[in-house]
Structure formats: structure tokens, C-alpha cells
Amino acid sequence: MDANGAEKGRAPPAPAGAGAYGGYEGAGDRKWWPWLVPTVIVACIAVFVVEMWVNDCPKHGSALGAGQPCVAGFLRRFSFQPLRENPLLGPSSATLAKMGALDWNKVVHQNEGWRLISCIWLHAGLIHLLVNMLSLLFIGIRLEQQFGFVRIGAIYLVSGFGGSVLSALFLRNNNISVGASGALFGLLGSMLSELLMNWTIYSNKVAAIVTLLFIIVINVAIGILPHADNFAHIGGFIAGFLLGFVLLARPQFGWMERSELPHTNQPPKYKAYQYVLWVVALVLLLVGFILSLVMLFKGKNGNDGCHWCHYLNCVPTSKWNCDT
């Protein structure tokens, strides 16, 4: 989301047929009880309530000046900023900045690196919150059931952080950014890498990968509209994609614990290509984070080394201006 209070982006539900997408049933897999994703959803809702409490539209008014009524005034302190200021039914940009929105100047020049994490928990408005939380519900619950809260929680946080870093590198112009979209794109990226990492155990591979790629492309395309932070989407997706290779590998089909079958000969737990992907992805992830953070805290502008990259975030047309 930018300084005008616009939406950061959205992520869709899991592909049709999910639960065993690609045809892998995983009957022998341990099914985890999902509690982390619901907790994250409750936490984001609670933070949004605090945002509106701090915002207090009737008391602080609108940045557009007097005469701009708060929306849903009957909510009193929890009423929304005027639609011309924030069409997503939420607080002002000043409130978001106060509570930890991503702001390049404050991260780099005021040593407020914590904003790279805090912005993940903030949302620009009620609409923004509902879209992201519904997406997290559909994507995250299934992934947590299959892989547990530790791995999915790590992907969610690291992807959100990765999205914030790339966003800070490319977005300047006094813009701020908030939302869980980078983390959500990370979960989508991890779904894709998990499918590739465990390719041999899936049936219906082509249908699964086409469906997932279609969902990803549609969401990235939405991100090129004005007021959407597509760099957060891309950064989160890349981080989640690489982390999926590291955390979501499945044992070969038919492999069982040695303690269960102590006297049988069986193949190695993982195939050779899985080990190779694990090492390559881990190296790329670490190098990418190190280089990006060094560039960020040295005050580098990512657009200086990539003069066309701004088109990944917004494509100007006769209908809209990307600088607004």
C-alpha cells in the first residue's frame, strides 16, 4: 500500500483440488492441527482494531482538510477516514506510519529496521484486511496441516521480510507500505517449489503446476495496477520459493523410519536432486538477503541498476498515473 492508503495486493485461495494437489495423497503423512494460521489471523484483526483506535478519525480529522466526514461515524473512535483519503475503509497514512508502516527514509536514515517486520502486521483498511486474511485462511490452513506450524511459520515470516526488503529497495517517493501480501506470496511460492522438489511423488503434475502458475501470474498482473506494491509481492514470492526447497522436501515414496523397519534395505530418505535443490536454494536465499540488506542500509536505490524494474510495480496508461 502507498501513502494514499491503497491496497498492497491480494493472494488467491489454493488451487482446485488442493489438500492433495497434483494427486499426492500422502496417506502416511502426519496431519498437523493448524493453530498458527488462525492465531496470525486473529493477531492481524487485533492490530487493525488498535490501528482504528489510534487513528480516531473524529478527533484527528482528515488530511484533506475540514468538511470531509468520517465514514461510518456511528462507530465513533473506530470510524474510517473519508473515502477520498482511504478507499479501503481504514486509517490515515499518518496513523500507519506511526504504528510501523514500511518507510524507506525511517528504515535507512533513522535506524528503524524493525519496520521491515512490523509492516507485515498492519493493513490499510477493512477491505485490505479481509482479502488478505481470507487468502491466508485458504492457503495457510492446508499448508500447516501438511507441514506443521514451524515450517509454515518460518516461510510466512521470512517471505514477509523478503517482500519488505525488496519493496524498500525500489519504492521511494515518500511512499509507505503495509500488508501481509508479501508473506502470502511467499506461501504461494513455497507451494510451487514444494511441487517441483517432490515432483516424482505426484500424479497429475501438469494440471497442478499449470493451475498454480496461473494463480501466480494473475496475482502478479494485479500488482502492476497503481497503489499496489508489487515489489513486496515479488520479494515475498522469491523468498518463499527458495525456502520451500529448503523446508518442504518430502521423503521418497515408500521410505519409512529405520525404527519401524530395522531389518529391511530401503533407498535413501531423499533423492539426489532434492539434496542439490536444497543446497542451491539455501545459498541463493542467504546471498540474496545479504546483498539486499547491504544495498538497503547503504541507501542504494534498486532502480539505479535496473531502469526498467519500475514497470514491474506499475505500468502507466492513459487511465492512470503511476506517480500518484
Side-chain angles (χ1 to χ4, degrees), residues 7-321:
E7 188 175 359
K8 189 173 184 178
R10 53 186 65 84
Y21 67 88
Y24 175 69
E25 297 296 335
D29 283 359
R30 175 180 178 180
K31 296 300 181 184
W32 301 78
W33 178 261
W35 63 268
L36 179 64
V37 168
T39 301
V40 170
I41 292 173
V42 170
C44 288
I45 293 173
V47 170
F48 183 72
V49 172
V50 175
E51 286 178 37
M52 299 311 302
W53 172 267
V54 172
N55 186 67
D56 195 358
C57 180
K59 178 180 179 180
H60 298 126
S62 170
L64 300 176
Q68 298 291 330
C70 301
V71 177
F74 63 90
L75 295 175
R76 299 183 181 276
R77 184 166 189 148
F78 295 96
S79 58
F80 310 113
Q81 294 298 114
L83 291 179
R84 286 183 57 196
E85 181 180 355
N86 188 341
L88 299 177
L89 300 177
S92 65
S93 294
T95 296
L96 293 172
K98 179 180 180 181
M99 293 192 63
L102 182 61
D103 183 316
W104 177 86
N105 184 63
K106 292 183 178 180
V107 169
V108 176
H109 297 302
Q110 299 181 27
N111 299 316
E112 296 183 3
W114 52 270
R115 290 178 178 271
L116 294 168
I117 294 294
S118 62
C119 66
I120 302 171
W121 303 93
L122 299 170
H123 285 83
L126 184 61
I127 296 174
H128 188 202
L129 177 70
L130 288 175
V131 169
N132 276 351
M133 293 305 99
L134 286 174
S135 298
L136 177 58
L137 182 67
F138 284 107
I139 297 173
I141 290 291
R142 189 190 64 79
L143 286 174
E144 188 178 352
Q145 285 176 331
Q146 289 191 344
F147 297 102
F149 72 93
V150 173
R151 286 182 282 184
I152 299 308
I155 292 172
Y156 185 86
L157 290 176
V158 173
S159 298
F161 180 72
S164 297
V165 171
L166 194 67
S167 176
L169 274 173
F170 284 92
L171 286 183
R172 300 285 184 89
N173 303 325
N174 299 316
N175 286 340
I176 63 172
S177 181
V178 296
S181 300
L184 289 168
F185 266 75
L187 294 180
L188 279 175
S190 71
M191 290 174 67
L192 179 59
S193 57
E194 191 272 329
L195 178 62
L196 297 174
M197 183 73 157
N198 306 309
W199 186 255
T200 59
I201 66 175
Y202 284 104
S203 60
N204 303 323
K205 299 178 180 70
V206 175
I209 199 167
V210 168
T211 300
L212 192 51
L213 287 174
F214 176 77
I215 292 171
I216 293 167
V217 169
I218 290 297
N219 277 265
V220 172
I222 291 173
I224 66 175
L225 298 175
H227 309 306
D229 186 355
N230 216 22
F231 288 121
H233 300 168
I234 295 170
F237 177 83
I238 293 173
F241 180 71
L242 293 175
L243 202 54
F245 287 116
V246 176
L247 297 180
L248 303 186
R250 296 181 189 268
Q252 295 189 58
F253 183 77
W255 183 90
M256 299 185 70
E257 294 286 352
R258 298 286 182 179
S259 59
E260 296 180 20
L261 294 174
H263 303 297
T264 60
N265 294 323
Q266 58 178 326
K269 185 174 183 180
Y270 298 107
K271 290 183 176 291
Y273 79 88
Q274 291 177 303
Y275 287 108
V276 172
L277 288 173
W278 189 93
V279 172
V280 171
L282 183 60
V283 170
L284 289 176
L285 185 67
L286 292 176
V287 171
F289 267 121
I290 292 171
L291 292 178
S292 298
L293 288 171
V294 168
M295 290 177 60
L296 175 61
F297 287 104
K298 282 189 173 182
K300 302 292 185 181
N301 188 336
N303 294 292
D304 293 339
C306 181
H307 299 295
W308 56 269
C309 283
H310 63 280
Y311 291 116
L312 295 175
N313 190 57
C314 181
V315 177
T317 71
S318 59
K319 302 295 184 180
W320 60 71
N321 184 353

